[in-house]
Amino acid sequence: MADTSAVEIVDRAAASVERLRSVRPRVHCLTNFVAMQLSANLLLAVGAVPSMTMEPAAMPDFVGSSAALLVNLGMLDPWRREAAPEAIAAAQARGLPWVLDPVKVERSVERRGFAQCLLDLGPSVLRCNRAERPLLEVGRRTVVALTGPVDRIAWRDRVVEVAGGSPLMDRVTAMGCAGSALLAACLAVEDDPFVAAASAMLMMKVAGTMAAASAAGPGSFVPAFLDAAHALDGEALQRHGRLA
Amino acid sequence: MADTSAVEIVDRAAASVERLRSVRPRVHCLTNFVAMQLSANLLLAVGAVPSMTMEPAAMPDFVGSSAALLVNLGMLDPWRREAAPEAIAAAQARGLPWVLDPVKVERSVERRGFAQCLLDLGPSVLRCNRAERPLLEVGRRTVVALTGPVDRIAWRDRVVEVAGGSPLMDRVTAMGCAGSALLAACLAVEDDPFVAAASAMLMMKVAGTMAAASAAGPGSFVPAFLDAAHALDGEALQRHGRLA
Amino acid sequence: MADTSAVEIVDRAAASVERLRSVRPRVHCLTNFVAMQLSANLLLAVGAVPSMTMEPAAMPDFVGSSAALLVNLGMLDPWRREAAPEAIAAAQARGLPWVLDPVKVERSVERRGFAQCLLDLGPSVLRCNRAERPLLEVGRRTVVALTGPVDRIAWRDRVVEVAGGSPLMDRVTAMGCAGSALLAACLAVEDDPFVAAASAMLMMKVAGTMAAASAAGPGSFVPAFLDAAHALDGEALQRHGRLA
């Protein structure tokens, strides 16, 4: 980690948790149908206010009145294909940060091509997994949040790794997608995209660690995870955060 | 409250709870993707039978074999734009009650216009919040269920307010949308739309109060809320209902 | 039951549970919006890997890289209308097993016609309920899994019935749809479609029985059901399985 210590990231993540609750930023999420409910509930749990309209013509209204944007390509459909460029243009016209989550590009050459086109527009952060990352070329302005058992957030010479969480997170659909929505929310309250990405991934891992303590399986994990996200504070981040 | 006392509303809400379980009315819901699962589960919990098909051509079949209709404009998409007038026409042709829920019209001038067009068709009840209400003109035939920390149901000179519930209800996506679905179900078993609207809002608040007693946050609130809705009875409505 | 004893089915279901966890088969689900989250979470809970993309052009990529396919007609929409034949063609080109779930065909003559067209393509298994079954003509190659308080799986002269579960399963949306997704997953690890269908229905009933033991209503039933599905093993299948 070149210029931001682990201690500093925990402190700034704690500040973001507080700002999410006081500012209550609007986050527009273009995301897939499986991920919508969990993503909206996670944003509400931490204090952010989600909207998810997908009509291309509505992008100026909805993105223009939001503080950050998520573009998620899971279950890519004709509406999001058309809405994504409109949403990104609306975000860029207002200088809003945005996150790209290129879901399952390893399963479709065509989707990979579409994801690369959007990636070339320069999102603040690319959130992806180890199957997706090698297939995409990332420009110098974009932070990469590579998630897995240990998350690795990287931008130029800055790198931070976040461990913790729970293996149950892989047995709940759309946890990664929900993390991307949380990342967009963090971008709304933290100016440094690298710190925002690290903060969001830290919040996911810590809430996952807290939830795993009471969950009996992947079913009870979900409500426990949302309860933990709602209860997050600096003390929880310090106690459970595992940064390196 | 001009002609229906609080005691009478509680009694009639209790009767509706029983009728929902015995009659098991079919309720067709044109609603948004985020709200579908919670709305369907709430309807099933109280005994109603949801359907949610959105194809315009299917509206005569599905609405025509239902006892009430919900039209919710959250995440408005091309299918519902086209299906909503068809569904309303099918409902009106059979004299079925219907609810309009104009979601987030404060975020889009275009959606506000569409909502007003549907509102001009005369729904039995408009269910909306304090941001949406001032933007819409309501005709004399439509009951207004304005929800918030205290709900206010009004029609001509009849007014009733419902308090209670839990602040956690604002931290769960689509609770308002699910309440509109429940309202449609109540219209199927209660002839007076004003009483049906008050009954549905009372049921939401009471189930929310009951759920909050055991919930540790917004995640555990949802299953507790559905359990409470499933367990509702006259005694619970009397004990927890706060009408004025 | 002609040639597969109840004891043998329990043993083979137990073997399928283990194979799902070790093989982690990919299952492509064309399913309805209400059912997506529960279906994906059930598949993940037992070890399978769901994908749910609906774009017709993506079917060769996604179905072609999967081990089984589900086609569910609930909330039938223009995308699935077009994608279903493409997905089935992709499955048949690779010899993959597939499940048809014709939801609510008793509510729409048109949907019934579409379902019959797909059924004529010869799915490995038709999963349906008692309202849907009489409206469809099933060819000799297709196993029928007829679900209800007691499930009946039949193919030519082979019949098995599965009892158990919980009445709460009817008060949770999309439990039947999720069962069809699990059935597709079982087809990916069990060569005999009759045994795969019986195994999946047995797993549903046993997980339902286990969940009902701790659930306080339909809300808490869902996380308990997913926890139970995640914990399934041969001992649980033997203890709670009720085959005849």
PDB file of all heavy atoms in Angstrom, chain B residues 18 32 50-51 55 59 64 91 109 121 150-151 171 173 175 180 183 229:
ATOM      1  N   GLU B  18     -59.918 -12.428   8.309  1.00  0.00           N
ATOM      2  CA  GLU B  18     -60.546 -13.757   8.231  1.00  0.00           C
ATOM      3  C   GLU B  18     -61.005 -14.087   6.820  1.00  0.00           C
ATOM      4  O   GLU B  18     -60.852 -15.218   6.357  1.00  0.00           O
ATOM      5  CB  GLU B  18     -61.727 -13.835   9.205  1.00  0.00           C
ATOM      6  CG  GLU B  18     -61.260 -13.867  10.657  1.00  0.00           C
ATOM      7  CD  GLU B  18     -62.405 -14.112  11.633  1.00  0.00           C
ATOM      8  OE1 GLU B  18     -63.455 -14.619  11.185  1.00  0.00           O
ATOM      9  OE2 GLU B  18     -62.239 -13.793  12.821  1.00  0.00           O
ATOM     10  N   ASN B  32     -43.190  -3.533  -9.633  1.00  0.00           N
ATOM     11  CA  ASN B  32     -41.797  -3.452 -10.071  1.00  0.00           C
ATOM     12  C   ASN B  32     -40.997  -4.658  -9.605  1.00  0.00           C
ATOM     13  O   ASN B  32     -41.372  -5.373  -8.681  1.00  0.00           O
ATOM     14  CB  ASN B  32     -41.189  -2.136  -9.596  1.00  0.00           C
ATOM     15  CG  ASN B  32     -41.038  -2.069  -8.104  1.00  0.00           C
ATOM     16  OD1 ASN B  32     -40.124  -2.652  -7.553  1.00  0.00           O
ATOM     17  ND2 ASN B  32     -41.965  -1.379  -7.440  1.00  0.00           N
ATOM     18  N   PRO B  50     -51.398 -14.259  -5.308  1.00  0.00           N
ATOM     19  CA  PRO B  50     -50.894 -13.270  -6.260  1.00  0.00           C
ATOM     20  C   PRO B  50     -50.636 -13.844  -7.645  1.00  0.00           C
ATOM     21  O   PRO B  50     -50.310 -15.016  -7.792  1.00  0.00           O
ATOM     22  CB  PRO B  50     -49.558 -12.851  -5.636  1.00  0.00           C
ATOM     23  CG  PRO B  50     -49.098 -14.064  -4.897  1.00  0.00           C
ATOM     24  CD  PRO B  50     -50.355 -14.768  -4.411  1.00  0.00           C
ATOM     25  N   SER B  51     -50.797 -12.995  -8.656  1.00  0.00           N
ATOM     26  CA  SER B  51     -50.241 -13.269  -9.981  1.00  0.00           C
ATOM     27  C   SER B  51     -49.604 -11.967 -10.449  1.00  0.00           C
ATOM     28  O   SER B  51     -50.017 -10.888 -10.028  1.00  0.00           O
ATOM     29  CB  SER B  51     -51.310 -13.760 -10.962  1.00  0.00           C
ATOM     30  OG  SER B  51     -52.349 -12.807 -11.103  1.00  0.00           O
ATOM     31  N   GLU B  55     -47.371  -9.221 -19.486  1.00  0.00           N
ATOM     32  CA  GLU B  55     -47.636  -9.109 -20.917  1.00  0.00           C
ATOM     33  C   GLU B  55     -48.987  -8.448 -21.149  1.00  0.00           C
ATOM     34  O   GLU B  55     -50.010  -8.924 -20.631  1.00  0.00           O
ATOM     35  CB  GLU B  55     -47.654 -10.486 -21.573  1.00  0.00           C
ATOM     36  CG  GLU B  55     -46.283 -11.058 -21.796  1.00  0.00           C
ATOM     37  CD  GLU B  55     -46.347 -12.219 -22.770  1.00  0.00           C
ATOM     38  OE1 GLU B  55     -47.217 -13.093 -22.597  1.00  0.00           O
ATOM     39  OE2 GLU B  55     -45.525 -12.254 -23.693  1.00  0.00           O
ATOM     40  N   MET B  59     -53.467  -9.553 -20.000  1.00  0.00           N
ATOM     41  CA  MET B  59     -54.235  -8.845 -18.971  1.00  0.00           C
ATOM     42  C   MET B  59     -55.688  -9.304 -18.892  1.00  0.00           C
ATOM     43  O   MET B  59     -56.190  -9.524 -17.787  1.00  0.00           O
ATOM     44  CB  MET B  59     -54.137  -7.333 -19.168  1.00  0.00           C
ATOM     45  CG  MET B  59     -52.751  -6.749 -18.885  1.00  0.00           C
ATOM     46  SD  MET B  59     -52.108  -7.127 -17.220  1.00  0.00           S
ATOM     47  CE  MET B  59     -50.934  -8.425 -17.580  1.00  0.00           C
ATOM     48  N   GLY B  64     -58.921 -10.608 -15.516  1.00  0.00           N
ATOM     49  CA  GLY B  64     -60.306 -11.065 -15.597  1.00  0.00           C
ATOM     50  C   GLY B  64     -60.622 -12.215 -14.656  1.00  0.00           C
ATOM     51  O   GLY B  64     -61.783 -12.431 -14.297  1.00  0.00           O
ATOM     52  N   ALA B  91     -60.031  -4.551 -15.582  1.00  0.00           N
ATOM     53  CA  ALA B  91     -60.618  -4.429 -14.239  1.00  0.00           C
ATOM     54  C   ALA B  91     -61.933  -3.658 -14.300  1.00  0.00           C
ATOM     55  O   ALA B  91     -62.933  -4.064 -13.701  1.00  0.00           O
ATOM     56  CB  ALA B  91     -59.632  -3.736 -13.296  1.00  0.00           C
ATOM     57  N   VAL B 109     -40.527  13.891 -14.326  1.00  0.00           N
ATOM     58  CA  VAL B 109     -41.698  14.603 -14.848  1.00  0.00           C
ATOM     59  C   VAL B 109     -42.518  13.684 -15.757  1.00  0.00           C
ATOM     60  O   VAL B 109     -43.747  13.700 -15.744  1.00  0.00           O
ATOM     61  CB  VAL B 109     -41.243  15.864 -15.621  1.00  0.00           C
ATOM     62  CG1 VAL B 109     -42.422  16.482 -16.362  1.00  0.00           C
ATOM     63  CG2 VAL B 109     -40.627  16.867 -14.655  1.00  0.00           C
ATOM     64  N   LEU B 121     -58.155   7.791 -14.583  1.00  0.00           N
ATOM     65  CA  LEU B 121     -59.064   6.676 -14.865  1.00  0.00           C
ATOM     66  C   LEU B 121     -59.842   6.240 -13.621  1.00  0.00           C
ATOM     67  O   LEU B 121     -60.701   5.365 -13.704  1.00  0.00           O
ATOM     68  CB  LEU B 121     -58.289   5.488 -15.451  1.00  0.00           C
ATOM     69  CG  LEU B 121     -57.592   5.768 -16.798  1.00  0.00           C
ATOM     70  CD1 LEU B 121     -56.725   4.580 -17.212  1.00  0.00           C
ATOM     71  CD2 LEU B 121     -58.612   6.093 -17.881  1.00  0.00           C
ATOM     72  N   VAL B 150     -46.995   8.309  10.276  1.00  0.00           N
ATOM     73  CA  VAL B 150     -48.433   8.151  10.536  1.00  0.00           C
ATOM     74  C   VAL B 150     -49.131   8.140   9.176  1.00  0.00           C
ATOM     75  O   VAL B 150     -48.934   9.053   8.369  1.00  0.00           O
ATOM     76  CB  VAL B 150     -48.978   9.296  11.410  1.00  0.00           C
ATOM     77  CG1 VAL B 150     -50.501   9.180  11.565  1.00  0.00           C
ATOM     78  CG2 VAL B 150     -48.302   9.279  12.776  1.00  0.00           C
ATOM     79  N   ASP B 151     -49.907   7.108   8.909  1.00  0.00           N
ATOM     80  CA  ASP B 151     -50.652   7.045   7.645  1.00  0.00           C
ATOM     81  C   ASP B 151     -51.934   7.859   7.785  1.00  0.00           C
ATOM     82  O   ASP B 151     -52.530   7.910   8.861  1.00  0.00           O
ATOM     83  CB  ASP B 151     -51.048   5.593   7.323  1.00  0.00           C
ATOM     84  CG  ASP B 151     -49.854   4.668   7.203  1.00  0.00           C
ATOM     85  OD1 ASP B 151     -48.755   5.148   6.884  1.00  0.00           O
ATOM     86  OD2 ASP B 151     -50.039   3.452   7.427  1.00  0.00           O
ATOM     87  N   ARG B 171     -36.247   1.011   6.122  1.00  0.00           N
ATOM     88  CA  ARG B 171     -34.939   0.472   5.757  1.00  0.00           C
ATOM     89  C   ARG B 171     -35.054  -0.876   5.056  1.00  0.00           C
ATOM     90  O   ARG B 171     -34.073  -1.607   4.938  1.00  0.00           O
ATOM     91  CB  ARG B 171     -34.050   0.373   7.004  1.00  0.00           C
ATOM     92  CG  ARG B 171     -33.734   1.729   7.635  1.00  0.00           C
ATOM     93  CD  ARG B 171     -33.089   2.658   6.589  1.00  0.00           C
ATOM     94  NE  ARG B 171     -32.819   3.983   7.116  1.00  0.00           N
ATOM     95  CZ  ARG B 171     -31.642   4.356   7.615  1.00  0.00           C
ATOM     96  NH1 ARG B 171     -30.635   3.516   7.615  1.00  0.00           N
ATOM     97  NH2 ARG B 171     -31.470   5.585   8.070  1.00  0.00           N
ATOM     98  N   THR B 173     -36.521  -2.438   1.414  1.00  0.00           N
ATOM     99  CA  THR B 173     -37.035  -2.011   0.121  1.00  0.00           C
ATOM    100  C   THR B 173     -38.441  -2.563  -0.105  1.00  0.00           C
ATOM    101  O   THR B 173     -38.765  -3.679   0.301  1.00  0.00           O
ATOM    102  CB  THR B 173     -36.091  -2.440  -1.025  1.00  0.00           C
ATOM    103  OG1 THR B 173     -36.465  -1.725  -2.204  1.00  0.00           O
ATOM    104  CG2 THR B 173     -36.151  -3.935  -1.306  1.00  0.00           C
ATOM    105  N   MET B 175     -41.419  -1.960   1.080  1.00  0.00           N
ATOM    106  CA  MET B 175     -42.472  -2.141   2.088  1.00  0.00           C
ATOM    107  C   MET B 175     -43.730  -1.370   1.665  1.00  0.00           C
ATOM    108  O   MET B 175     -44.850  -1.866   1.831  1.00  0.00           O
ATOM    109  CB  MET B 175     -42.003  -1.647   3.457  1.00  0.00           C
ATOM    110  CG  MET B 175     -41.034  -2.548   4.169  1.00  0.00           C
ATOM    111  SD  MET B 175     -41.664  -4.201   4.590  1.00  0.00           S
ATOM    112  CE  MET B 175     -42.975  -3.767   5.739  1.00  0.00           C
ATOM    113  N   SER B 180     -49.253  -1.645  -0.769  1.00  0.00           N
ATOM    114  CA  SER B 180     -50.233  -1.399  -1.838  1.00  0.00           C
ATOM    115  C   SER B 180     -50.824  -2.702  -2.356  1.00  0.00           C
ATOM    116  O   SER B 180     -52.009  -2.763  -2.703  1.00  0.00           O
ATOM    117  CB  SER B 180     -49.562  -0.636  -2.990  1.00  0.00           C
ATOM    118  OG  SER B 180     -49.125   0.631  -2.547  1.00  0.00           O
ATOM    119  N   LEU B 183     -53.295  -3.753   0.117  1.00  0.00           N
ATOM    120  CA  LEU B 183     -54.484  -2.917  -0.013  1.00  0.00           C
ATOM    121  C   LEU B 183     -55.397  -3.456  -1.120  1.00  0.00           C
ATOM    122  O   LEU B 183     -56.625  -3.525  -0.954  1.00  0.00           O
ATOM    123  CB  LEU B 183     -54.049  -1.480  -0.307  1.00  0.00           C
ATOM    124  CG  LEU B 183     -54.978  -0.365   0.125  1.00  0.00           C
ATOM    125  CD1 LEU B 183     -54.250   0.978   0.074  1.00  0.00           C
ATOM    126  CD2 LEU B 183     -56.245  -0.308  -0.678  1.00  0.00           C
ATOM    127  N   ALA B 229     -47.600 -11.028   9.731  1.00  0.00           N
ATOM    128  CA  ALA B 229     -48.734 -10.897   8.820  1.00  0.00           C
ATOM    129  C   ALA B 229     -49.526 -12.201   8.756  1.00  0.00           C
ATOM    130  O   ALA B 229     -50.757 -12.207   8.696  1.00  0.00           O
ATOM    131  CB  ALA B 229     -48.250 -10.503   7.416  1.00  0.00           C
TER     132      ALA B 229
END
